């Protein structure tokens, strides 16, 4: 089956272009919210997998999750670079699921579901490459690539109009940078000028939909398979859906023709879709565990908020919190919740004074 082709926005025009630094900052905050919105669904799919029975799927989904965390950091670096202030520890970050992407096409809903066909279809729609000639879209965007195309267009326009120094007025000390991460060849790099900003945008878009319209690769080296390039997110999910890996010579149109990707549907915990804390009575074991997960997740948001607002070293603490979240989520996934389902994390916001 032919697959959609990645974006080409070079000859297109944006409706409502970004023409002020204030609008640019607003859109970069939306970018942070967009990147964060992908994390709860990816985590539910990842932690519903039994690693011993589904090592291929765990490897692929975890690699996407790590790169989405890097994209979140790059979006925060972009906002800091233009004098903005990233906001992560807010109720707006965790609306009730299912939910649309922030300022995106409302027909795409993000749900908390276990790994399986429904999750894969959601992820493929999320990471869908824009069609050739698609316009850049700063609001109600059809694809993520079109949204970042609008930001790129705005950055170029403002630098031409005001000068780079006026646009990139942020404190360089607020930039979060780090070396290589596990599961990915991606880099979290500082943003200080137009060149580094465009490189950050390129990294985000190419890791999602591929480096060019006729390739499935994202331009990085595959850390698990150094002899080949890394497959973009959209095509990693195609590998999981088709049960085969891409190999040299494969294209978006051919689909993957390489070695088998083994998925054992029996090795997936049947998490109840879109769980809510309110589904269970106060003081019940599942509700108590879900409330504790939500507190831990909001601590993570607070740590990320601090990391991107003047304390970059807090990223280390955030990494530690991620391990606690993993243990709490996996424990929920193994807890029966009736009707042949198990419990799961609910990703609901907890006010700071209630985190205890």
């Amino acid at each position: 089956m032919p697959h959609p082709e990645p974006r080409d926005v070079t000859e297109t025009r944006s409706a409502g272009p970004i023409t002020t630094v204030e609008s640019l900052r607003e859109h970069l905050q939306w970018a942070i919210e967009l990147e964060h919105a992908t994390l709860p669904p990816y985590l539910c799919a990842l932690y519903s997998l039994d690693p011993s029975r589904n090592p291929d799927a765990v490897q692929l989904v975890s690699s996407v999750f790590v790169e989405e965390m890097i994209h979140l950091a790059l979006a925060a670096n972009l906002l800091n670079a233009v004098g903005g202030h990233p906001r992560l520890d807010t109720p707006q970050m965790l609306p009730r699921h299912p939910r649309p992407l922030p300022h995106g096409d409302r027909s795409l809903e993000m749900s908390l579901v276990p790994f399986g066909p429904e999750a894969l279809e959601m992820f493929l729609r999320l990471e869908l490459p824009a069609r050739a000639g698609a316009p850049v879209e700063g609001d109600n965007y059809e694809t993520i690539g079109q949204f970042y195309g609008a930001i790129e267009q705005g950055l170029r326009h403002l630098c031409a109009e005001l000068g780079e120094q006026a646009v990139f007025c942020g404190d360089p000390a607020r930039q979060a940078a780090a070396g290589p991460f596990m599961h990915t060849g991606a880099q979290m790099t500082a943003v200080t000028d137009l060149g580094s900003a465009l490189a950050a945008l390129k990294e985000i878009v190419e890791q999602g939909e591929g480096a060019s319209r006729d390739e499935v690769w994202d331009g990085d080296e595959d850390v698990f398979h150094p002899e080949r390039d890394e497959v973009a997110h959209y095509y990693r999910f195609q590998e999981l859906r088709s049960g085969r890996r891409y190999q040299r010579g494969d294209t978006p149109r051919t689909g993957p023709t390489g070695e088998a990707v083994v998925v054992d549907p029996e090795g997936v915990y049947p998490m109840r879709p879109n769980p809510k804390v309110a589904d269970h009575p106060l003081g019940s074991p599942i509700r108590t565990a879900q409330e504790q997960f939500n507190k831990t997740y909001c601590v993570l948001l607070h740590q990320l908020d601090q990391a991107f607002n003047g304390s970059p070293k807090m990223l280390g603490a955030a990494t530690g919190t991620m391990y606690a979240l993993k243990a709490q989520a996996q424990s929920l996934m193994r807890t029966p919740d009736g009707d042949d389902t198990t419990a799961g994390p609910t990703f609901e916001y907890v006010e700071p004074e209630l985190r205890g």
Side-chain angles (χ1 to χ4, degrees), residues 106-282:
R106 301 192 71 82
S107 68
L108 169 59
E109 286 196 329
M110 305 302 288
S111 292
L112 305 178
V113 294
F115 181 87
E118 181 181 354
L120 285 176
E121 288 304 316
M122 173 173 60
F123 298 154
L124 285 164
R125 173 64 184 83
L126 170 67
E127 303 284 3
L128 180 69
R131 66 190 184 281
V136 301
E137 294 175 329
D139 202 354
N140 298 313
Y141 49 89
E142 184 182 5
T143 67
I144 292 172
Q146 289 168 272
F147 174 67
Y148 281 112
I151 291 176
E152 176 182 337
Q153 186 182 73
L155 272 169
R156 290 184 184 276
H157 167 79
L158 288 166
C159 286
E161 183 179 73
L162 305 174
E164 276 189 59
Q165 195 170 356
V167 175
F168 291 94
C169 57
D171 180 0
R174 293 167 66 91
Q175 293 292 310
F181 285 74
M182 289 177 60
H183 309 307
T184 176
Q187 296 280 334
M188 185 192 302
T189 54
V191 176
T192 55
D193 55 16
L194 181 59
S196 53
L198 295 179
L201 292 172
K202 185 172 184 279
E203 177 97 334
I204 293 170
V205 173
E206 290 187 354
Q207 281 179 352
E209 61 181 38
S212 74
R213 199 160 55 240
D214 57 355
E215 291 186 1
V216 302
W217 321 105
D218 68 9
D220 293 325
E221 183 182 275
D222 188 321
V223 295
F224 294 105
H225 306 276
E227 74 282 1
R228 66 188 185 206
D229 293 331
E230 188 174 64
V231 177
H233 294 183
Y234 178 78
Y235 300 104
R236 285 180 227 178
F237 292 124
Q238 291 284 10
E239 289 181 325
L240 285 167
R241 185 167 73 169
S242 66
R244 290 205 170 276
R245 292 191 185 274
Y246 284 93
Q247 61 181 348
R248 292 187 190 279
D250 289 344
T251 69
R253 291 190 176 279
T254 67
T257 65
E259 65 190 55
V261 175
V262 179
V263 175
D264 178 3
E266 298 300 315
V268 179
Y269 296 106
M271 185 191 96
R272 182 184 295 276
N274 295 312
K276 309 282 189 300
V277 163
D279 292 343
H280 296 278
L282 276 168

Side-chain angles (χ1 to χ4, degrees), residues 96-98 272-280 286-287 290 344-346 348:
R96 182 178 290 246
H97 288 86
R272 182 184 295 276
N274 295 312
K276 309 282 189 300
V277 163
D279 292 343
H280 296 278
I286 288 178
R287 179 163 178 161
Q290 289 172 331
T346 67
E348 293 170 272

